[in-house]
Amino acid sequence: MTKAGAKLTLDHKQIAINLNQQAWTLLDKEDRSPEENDEMLHVAHASLWHWLQVGTQVNRQRGLWLVGRVHVLLGNAEAAMRYARQTMDLTETHQEDMADFDHAYASELLARATLLAGEEGDAAALFRKAARLGQLIHGEQNRKIFFSDLGAIPYPKAQPVE
């Protein structure tokens, strides 16, 4: 225990990384239990919180994206849209700091949140934009990862071709 008023020293960066990895382990898991869905949501939010303490704008953007992705998977439309908009706003505000795939992922998340909100026409346009941005990702491996993630949640209209 710490004395009252004593500062707790944390390695926010390492904690954020560990929590992010745990969230991805759960994201990738088939047939998650309701308890694992709760854990996935909590570790994604906790990872974001730690990035907000010490991270760059890029870390913050990716943390917001992860929380939004979890909300999409869980069907939480309002929260998914909130985090998707925050991700997109941060991506646009700090576009020079973002990698090419950050732009594609921001559009992908906004497309999914928009679809979850029932706005199919807008979602389809955002999905096409994400696919176009995905084609611009430098590095074959990064591009493959993006299109794998893009295809991980089925989209009801047409799937993009890599």
Side-chain angles (χ1 to χ4, degrees):
M1 296 187 81
T2 61
K3 294 181 181 181
K7 280 193 163 192
L8 180 62
T9 303
L10 298 175
D11 184 350
H12 289 288
K13 181 178 179 179
Q14 190 57 55
I15 294 169
I17 291 168
N18 292 344
L19 290 166
N20 178 282
Q21 291 171 346
Q22 178 64 20
W24 272 103
T25 297
L26 291 164
L27 274 166
D28 291 339
K29 184 176 182 193
E30 301 282 332
D31 302 322
R32 286 180 307 276
S33 69
E35 293 79 15
E36 289 170 323
N37 282 336
D38 288 344
E39 179 183 352
M40 179 175 62
L41 180 62
H42 298 318
V43 297
H45 274 282
S47 177
L48 172 59
W49 184 85
H50 284 282
W51 280 128
L52 292 174
Q53 306 312 302
V54 297
T56 64
Q57 295 300 333
V58 171
N59 298 132
R60 182 176 175 201
Q61 187 263 12
R62 294 175 186 171
L64 287 166
W65 178 89
L66 179 62
V67 171
R69 174 74 165 223
V70 169
H71 281 293
V72 164
L73 284 175
L74 298 178
N76 302 332
E78 185 178 325
M81 185 60 79
R82 181 173 63 248
Y83 286 99
R85 285 186 176 139
Q86 289 179 18
T87 301
M88 184 58 76
D89 289 347
L90 193 60
T91 303
E92 291 174 347
T93 301
H94 297 280
Q95 58 186 315
E96 67 284 349
D97 297 329
M98 302 295 157
D100 48 13
F101 56 81
D102 291 318
H103 295 275
Y105 276 106
S107 290
E108 174 267 343
L109 178 60
L110 189 56
R112 296 200 188 284
T114 301
L115 181 64
L116 195 57
E119 300 171 23
E120 289 186 26
D122 291 342
L126 287 164
F127 190 77
R128 287 189 301 273
K129 177 181 176 184
R132 281 193 311 274
L133 290 170
Q135 293 293 340
L136 301 175
I137 294 173
H138 292 92
E140 183 178 344
Q141 187 62 26
N142 284 341
R143 202 168 36 259
K144 280 185 176 183
I145 291 168
F146 172 75
F147 280 102
S148 174
D149 289 340
L150 190 63
I153 304 172
Y155 189 79
K157 299 289 181 190
Q159 288 292 325
V161 178
E162 184 177 346

